Amino acid sequence: MTWMMKLRKNNPSMQIFLWLYAILSVYPLVWMIFYSLKNNDEIFVTNPFGPPVHLRFENYVEAWSKYNVPSYFMNSLLVAVATVAGAILLAVMFSYAAARLRWRFSKIAHTYILVGMFIPIQVIMIPLAILVRDLNLANTYGALIIPYIAFNISFASMVFYGFFRSIPIEMEESACIDGASIYRTFFSIMLPIIKPALATMVIFIFLNSWNEFTMAVILITKESLKTLPLGLLFFQGQFTTDWGAMGAAMTIASLPTVLIYILFSEQVENALTVGSAVKG
Amino acid sequence: MNKFLGNKTAILLFILPALLLYTVMVFYPIVQTFFRSMYEWDGLSEGTFIWFDNYTRLFQDSLFFTSLKNGLIFAVIITVTQIGIGSILAFAVADAKFKGRKILRISFFIPVVLSITVVCQLWLSIYNGEYGLINKIFEAIGLEYKQDWLTSSKSAIIAIAFVNAWQYMGYHFALLLAGVKSVPEQYMEAARIDGATKLQAILKINIPMMAETYKFCLVFAITGGLNAFANMYIMTSGGPGTSTYTLTYLMYRSAFRVGEFGYGSAAAAILVIECLIATLIINRLIARERISY
């Protein structure tokens, strides 16, 4: 190891580069939080870079009360929670049956579901929009929740499948001997075992649906159903003059995911990188 | 036991909801995309079957070639910056012993968890011709140079690609860091004993052993770039003019703005083929046998 240390001592440029990139990565965000607490005069003229001189929390009050931010926020929350619940339930049931129960086409069914991971949503947007319209889902919460659930099944199934495969068969054997039904075995024995995977996927699917943009922009036009990524577009046109409130709304929208990330950083990174083993 | 694990009712109950929803919402639409690409169709009526006319029309549409070219530019920029910078950062963090590694990792990754709308709006304010951060920095260091980065048709696509590169660099960094850590220590030790420099060891040992990770990163970045849509939708609406159109944006315009659903489907079908070709090429180029260690 001394060899590496020496190298590093002679080479502080690497460390400088790391910190410079960290600044490039985070400063835009900090700048946004700064200007969410400033007035236009401070943003544009007197103090464009530094922390705000007076903390103008009235920007947050304005974003929250004058624009539809509470409605967007609640819609995002509702859609994300429903998607997490639905996708996890369907995926965990399917992958349990595919990984452990004995039926003829289990391998084929599993592969069939996995194919979904390779289909980018962009390429099926047109039929999906027509389908949502024909099923009378257009401009309901279902227009987002149902496709979101369907799109998260593939990835979640893959992760759960791996976990279920690693559990020894004796688990079911002893449950069977003790007289538990297959349902009871599933809910009281299997689900507790894969808890870590469940937690990871809850975070993953929540982040995914909270931030989803492409489907939302095509499937939702009604103002009262817009989620945050959609609602924030509202600031783009006529309200660009009110940078403080815009910054405040964007900070509010980012708070949940950033908090989740900071609290569970390891799990989030694992969740987002776990697919790399199979995909590609 | 066989009876226990072969319970037909339970199996159907477990698999049908997922299979049904997936088939209706994911699988049926992808088939429809190809099927409808051979129709002249307004999305309401039955439509008329026109064989490959939509494709012939695409190949005569100059906008199609602009979109194709932009998709490639976008893909190349994000691939080179994300994987290039991501690799440097991952190798540096992996053997960094100084304090603050955790802070560095969090800083690199934080943009990934933001909504794309927030990121794009944020960069719209950064690029803003008058009040933007970049122009303010130029002003602060005494440069008279002012530029609205998104209104020049030459620089707009590059400016947008940079936003995507910035946001998802952390994702590639995390993947690559996990890859670096999976290479066993004794290989590096052996290289050191043989007198290899750090750079040689990385080039000759780490990178080849991380072939699977690189393969995934490449597929992810390139197909992500070819599919780019949200960035242009939010930042430029395909403009100035049509200079930041991509295939997905062309599909969106044709179907949801102009009402030519068949033509849009053809653009989407080309996109699928394009991504498939890219994935196949990457798989061919990068070690086909897994290296076992």
Side-chain angles (χ1 to χ4, degrees), chain A residues 23-255:
Chain A
I23 292 168
L24 175 67
S25 191
V26 170
Y27 181 69
L29 211 62
V30 174
W31 182 64
M32 177 180 88
I33 296 168
F34 283 170
Y35 82 63
S36 76
L37 291 164
K38 295 175 184 174
N39 63 7
N40 277 1
D41 190 42
E42 215 181 329
I43 299 168
F44 298 143
V45 189
T46 52
N47 177 19
F49 306 115
V53 183
H54 308 283
L55 299 180
R56 294 177 199 276
F57 287 108
E58 60 262 34
N59 288 337
Y60 283 81
V61 178
E62 198 186 320
W64 192 259
S65 60
K66 225 163 116 188
Y67 308 113
N68 277 338
V69 174
S71 152
Y72 303 147
F73 195 94
M74 290 318 287
N75 288 340
S76 278
L77 196 64
L78 181 94
V79 168
V81 169
T83 305
V84 167
I88 298 263
L89 183 72
L90 294 193
V92 86
M93 290 196 318
F94 174 81
S95 51
Y96 177 67
R100 314 215 31 115
L101 299 184
R102 290 172 190 167
W103 45 296
R104 204 188 301 164
F105 300 112
S106 61
K107 283 258 149 48
I108 297 174
H110 178 62
T111 314
Y112 170 66
I113 291 271
L114 279 195
V115 170
M117 295 200 321
F118 299 92
I119 301 177
I121 38 163
Q122 285 91 333
V123 304
I124 64 161
M125 272 328 301
I126 294 175
L128 193 64
I130 303 281
L131 195 66
V132 163
R133 188 193 68 198
D134 291 348
L135 294 172
N136 287 324
L137 289 170
N139 280 321
T140 64
Y141 285 114
L144 289 184
I145 295 169
I146 294 173
Y148 282 6
I149 292 177
F151 264 91
N152 279 300
I153 286 177
S154 301
F155 185 64
S157 294
M158 182 206 81
V159 173
F160 294 143
Y161 185 87
F163 270 78
F164 279 131
R165 285 301 248 187
S166 65
I167 302 171
I169 191 73
E170 283 79 16
M171 283 295 179
E172 271 114 338
E173 269 169 12
S174 57
C176 176
I177 291 163
D178 290 347
S181 72
I182 186 81
Y183 307 106
R184 189 139 182 229
T185 314
F186 175 67
F187 284 109
S188 327
I189 299 171
M190 287 301 160
L191 288 191
I193 296 178
I194 63 153
K195 231 186 218 157
L198 286 174
T200 305
M201 287 319 292
V202 166
I203 296 172
F204 177 80
I205 298 174
F206 185 88
L207 292 180
N208 253 359
S209 25
W210 184 273
N211 287 336
E212 205 287 330
F213 178 81
T214 307
M215 276 199 254
V217 83
I218 289 167
L219 300 175
I220 293 292
T221 48
K222 208 167 155 190
E223 181 64 23
S224 64
L225 292 175
K226 283 184 176 169
T227 52
L228 275 167
L230 220 50
L232 292 183
L233 287 178
F234 170 78
F235 283 96
Q236 204 177 2
Q238 60 265 51
F239 291 97
T240 35
T241 45
D242 195 355
W243 281 39
M246 180 175 86
M250 299 207 303
T251 308
I252 293 171
S254 310
L255 216 58

Side-chain angles (χ1 to χ4, degrees), chain A residues 243, chain B residues 123-133 135 147-149:
Chain A
W243 281 39
Chain B
W123 280 87
L124 278 176
S125 10
I126 291 174
Y127 284 143
N128 186 298
E130 269 187 79
Y131 308 117
L133 189 60
N135 288 321
Q147 166 118 20
D148 196 341
W149 305 86

